[in-house]
Amino acid sequence: MIAKKVLLVGNFGVGKTSLIRRFVLNEFSEEYISTIGVRVSSKIIQIENQEIKLLIWDVAGTSDDEKVPKAYFLGSSAAMYVFDLSREETYKNINAKVDIVKELSGLKNITIIGNKKDLVSSKEIEAIKKLIPFSIDLITSAKENENVEDAFKELAKQTLN
Amino acid sequence: MEKTTVDNKDNRFELLKELLLADDRKDFNVLKEEVLEREKFKVKVTPVLDERIEDLKVNFSDHFGKNITEAIKIQIRESQDEVVEALYPILGKLVKKFIIAEITKLTESINQTINDKFSISQIIKRLFKGKRTDADDVLQEVFEPIIEEIFVINKDSGLLAGNYSRGNIADKDMVSGMLTAIKSFAKDSFSKDGQDIEDIKFENFQLSIQNFKTIYIATATSGVINPDFEEELLEDINNLAEIILRDRSYLIDEEKLNTIIKNIFIKKE
C-alpha cells in the first residue's frame, strides 16, 4: 500500500476539521492544531483498484502572516483548499491564497472545495461560482455528510497524477 | 359459742386486712389496669410496628440514604483533620508495604548484579574496563537500555520509509507525520543557523533524532542510556543511513528497509 501526504488548507472555521472527522478514523487530538498549527490524520482509500493511505495534514492557515511553518507544505502529493460558502472573507482572496499554497507545496493543481452547503441556497452558490476566478471542484456539507467522501476521493486521485 | 368466737375473730382479721391493705390494693389495681392496657395496646400496635420495621429493612436507603449521605458529607467536611488522622495509618501502611515490595525487588536485582560482577570472570573483565564505575555497571544492568522504536522518515513529506517496533504502535505513519510536524515547528520557531531538534525526553523514554540529507532517523529508547550504548547506537544509525543513502531503493521498499533495520539494531536487545 502506498502512503501519500495530502494537505488540507483554508481559513479558520471553514470546516476542515469537520470534513476530516466525517472521513477519517485515526486522528490525533485537535489541540495540536492550536499549538503547532497542524494535525496529521490518516485514512485508507481505494482508488482505481489501488489502496492508498492518505496522511492528511490539516494545516491551520495558508500565508506567512499566519505563522505556519513552510515545511508543513513540503513533500505533499495533493492539496485541498476549503472555503466556507457562507462567509465571503474565506473566498474573497482565494486566488492569492491558492497561489501561496501552490508556491509552498510545489503542486500545480489544488482541489477547491466549498463547504457548509447546508447554510446557503443554490442561488447563492451560483453567485459565488461567478465571483471565484476558477471552478469549484466540489460543494460539500460536513454537517449533512454530503460529497465529503467524493472530495477526498478527488484528492486521492490527484496523488496518482 | 366457740365457733362464734372464731367467726368473730375471722371477721376482725378480714376487717384488719381490709384496713391495712386498702392502699396497696388500690396501687395493685392501678398497676393491673396499666399492664392490661399495655397488653391491649401491644396487640393493636405490634402488627403496625412489624410492618413498619419490615418496610425500613427493605427501604432504609430510600428513606434515609440522602440524609445520611448529607450528614456524612457535612461531618467529613467539618472534620477533615480527624478523617485524615483516621485514614493515615491505613494509607501509610499501604504505601509502606508497596515501597518495601519495590525496594525488595530492587535489592534482589542489585544483589544478583553484584554477585555476577564479583565473579572471577567479571573481576578479570573489570581490570580492562576503563573509567566506568561499579555504580554505572549496576544501574545499567538494573535499568537496561532498550530500543523501543526506530523510524526512518522522509525529511520533507514526513512519510515513513521503514521502521522497527518492539511493541504495537497504533498508526506508525501518523506518528511519523506528527513527529515531522513537531520537528518542523521546533525548527521554525526556535532554531538558529539550521539547528534542528535532536532529543525529546518523555518520562523514561528518550527520542533521539539524527538528520541526514533526505531522511531522518528517530530512535526511541527506554532505560538508563550509558555512553557506550549511546555510542554504539549512533554508530548503527550512521551505518543504516549510509546503506540507505548509497542505495535509495531502500526508501521505496519498506520490507527490505525493515529487514536491514532489524539486522543492524536487533542485536542490542
Side-chain angles (χ1 to χ4, degrees):
Chain A
M1 184 173 36
I2 333 162
K4 297 278 185 184
K5 173 181 177 178
V6 294
L7 297 170
L8 200 62
V9 280
N11 287 56
F12 177 78
V14 295
K16 298 190 297 285
T17 306
S18 306
L19 285 169
I20 286 178
R21 182 140 297 156
R22 275 282 183 204
F23 183 70
V24 306
L25 285 174
N26 295 331
E27 59 181 4
F28 280 103
S29 156
E30 260 179 63
E31 279 174 33
Y32 283 102
I33 298 177
S34 51
T35 49
I36 64 165
V38 72
R39 179 181 57 164
V40 182
S41 313
S42 76
K43 169 86 177 182
I44 295 165
I45 193 165
Q46 186 101 22
I47 289 286
E48 294 166 8
N49 296 324
Q50 201 170 358
E51 263 196 343
I52 299 172
K53 185 172 193 178
L54 291 183
L55 288 147
I56 308 156
W57 286 50
D58 181 358
V59 184
T62 51
S63 56
D64 281 350
D65 57 289
E66 283 166 291
K67 307 278 178 204
V68 174
K70 287 173 184 162
Y72 291 173
F73 296 84
L74 300 175
S76 46
S77 303
M80 183 193 275
Y81 188 94
V82 186
F83 68 91
D84 181 347
L85 290 161
S86 68
R87 278 164 57 217
E88 200 187 336
E89 69 266 26
T90 66
Y91 54 81
K92 212 175 176 182
N93 297 316
I94 193 165
N95 210 7
K97 287 186 174 177
V98 167
D99 280 347
I100 290 170
V101 178
K102 280 182 180 173
E103 194 190 317
L104 293 173
S105 64
L107 293 166
K108 284 179 186 165
N109 295 311
I110 284 170
T111 308
I112 309 293
I113 301 291
N115 191 34
K116 302 194 186 177
K117 189 191 173 192
D118 48 291
L119 298 180
V120 287
S121 65
S122 46
K123 207 176 171 184
E124 284 168 322
I125 292 172
E126 286 311 309
I128 294 166
K129 277 181 180 172
K130 279 176 193 163
L131 262 176
I132 292 174
F134 34 68
S135 65
I136 303 169
D137 292 292
L138 273 165
I139 303 284
T140 59
S141 168
K143 195 184 172 193
E144 287 170 4
N145 198 15
E146 202 178 334
N147 287 336
V148 177
E149 183 105 23
D150 288 343
F152 282 96
K153 274 185 180 168
E154 188 57 43
L155 195 64
K157 266 185 207 166
Q158 262 198 41
T159 66
L160 298 175
N161 293 335
Chain B
M1 275 298 279
E2 216 176 285
K3 197 186 171 190
T4 313
T5 312
V6 170
D7 283 347
N8 284 343
K9 272 182 187 172
D10 285 347
N11 286 338
R12 269 182 292 166
F13 182 66
E14 279 304 314
L15 196 63
L16 188 64
K17 259 166 66 181
E18 286 287 332
L19 287 169
L20 288 172
L21 299 175
D23 286 344
D24 291 339
R25 277 188 178 151
K26 207 186 272 176
D27 289 345
F28 173 77
N29 285 334
V30 170
L31 282 171
K32 195 178 165 187
E33 281 298 313
E34 243 176 63
V35 170
L36 285 174
E37 198 60 39
R38 194 175 272 189
E39 283 301 314
K40 280 181 202 165
F41 184 71
K42 207 173 158 185
V43 171
K44 280 182 188 169
V45 164
T46 302
V48 181
L49 278 177
D50 286 346
E51 199 180 300
R52 194 74 187 134
I53 287 166
E54 274 310 304
D55 175 52
L56 282 176
K57 272 185 196 168
V58 178
N59 303 313
F60 187 82
S61 57
D62 292 342
H63 293 312
F64 300 106
K66 272 185 189 173
N67 297 347
I68 290 172
T69 310
E70 199 51 41
I72 291 171
K73 271 185 191 171
I74 293 167
Q75 195 62 35
I76 290 173
R77 203 184 306 134
E78 287 174 358
S79 337
Q80 276 181 2
D81 289 344
E82 285 87 343
V83 172
V84 170
E85 222 161 88
L87 289 176
Y88 183 77
I90 304 160
L91 288 175
K93 269 179 199 167
L94 285 173
V95 172
K96 197 176 160 189
K97 206 173 164 186
F98 175 74
I99 291 172
I100 287 170
E102 288 304 303
I103 287 175
T104 309
K105 270 193 234 164
L106 186 66
T107 312
E108 280 168 8
S109 178
I110 289 172
N111 282 339
Q112 182 61 44
T113 310
I114 287 171
N115 287 340
D116 294 346
K117 287 284 145 201
F118 285 90
S119 66
I120 301 289
S121 62
Q122 285 299 320
I123 289 169
I124 294 165
K125 273 186 192 171
R126 280 168 63 202
L127 292 172
F128 303 98
K129 76 174 180 180
K131 285 181 180 175
R132 278 172 56 191
T133 64
D134 287 340
D136 285 341
D137 286 352
V138 170
L139 278 176
Q140 186 201 329
E141 294 215 2
V142 174
F143 304 106
E144 194 191 356
I146 294 166
I147 298 172
E148 301 283 347
E149 311 279 344
I150 298 165
F151 293 101
V152 177
I153 300 168
N154 284 291
K155 219 171 181 179
D156 285 344
S157 64
L159 292 174
L160 184 72
N163 85 306
Y164 160 76
S165 186
R166 194 168 167 259
N168 280 325
I169 191 159
D171 190 327
K172 52 192 189 216
D173 293 296
M174 236 166 73
V175 171
S176 305
M178 271 321 289
L179 188 60
T180 309
I182 293 166
K183 197 170 158 293
S184 303
F185 175 77
K187 193 176 180 182
D188 200 76
S189 309
F190 313 114
S191 88
K192 288 173 189 167
D193 306 323
Q195 290 168 324
D196 212 331
I197 197 166
E198 284 176 355
D199 289 308
I200 297 171
K201 284 183 179 175
F202 178 72
E203 288 183 357
N204 60 337
F205 280 90
Q206 181 171 319
L207 192 74
S208 301
I209 293 168
Q210 298 298 321
N211 291 289
F212 300 95
K213 183 78 180 157
T214 51
I215 54 162
Y216 72 93
I217 299 173
T219 50
T221 45
S222 63
V224 175
I225 314 293
N226 58 64
D228 285 351
F229 178 84
E230 211 166 2
E231 203 178 296
E232 202 180 337
L233 183 64
L234 196 62
E235 204 181 303
D236 288 343
I237 291 170
N238 285 328
N239 284 341
L240 176 67
E242 203 181 314
I243 291 168
I244 297 169
L245 297 174
R246 274 185 202 284
D247 180 1
R248 304 287 170 109
S249 67
Y250 280 106
L251 293 173
I252 47 168
D253 189 340
E254 196 178 345
E255 213 171 299
K256 190 176 154 190
L257 183 54
N258 290 350
T259 310
I260 194 87
I261 293 171
K262 217 169 179 184
N263 289 343
I264 292 176
F265 291 92
I266 203 76
K267 64 182 186 304
K268 287 197 184 313
E269 287 192 78

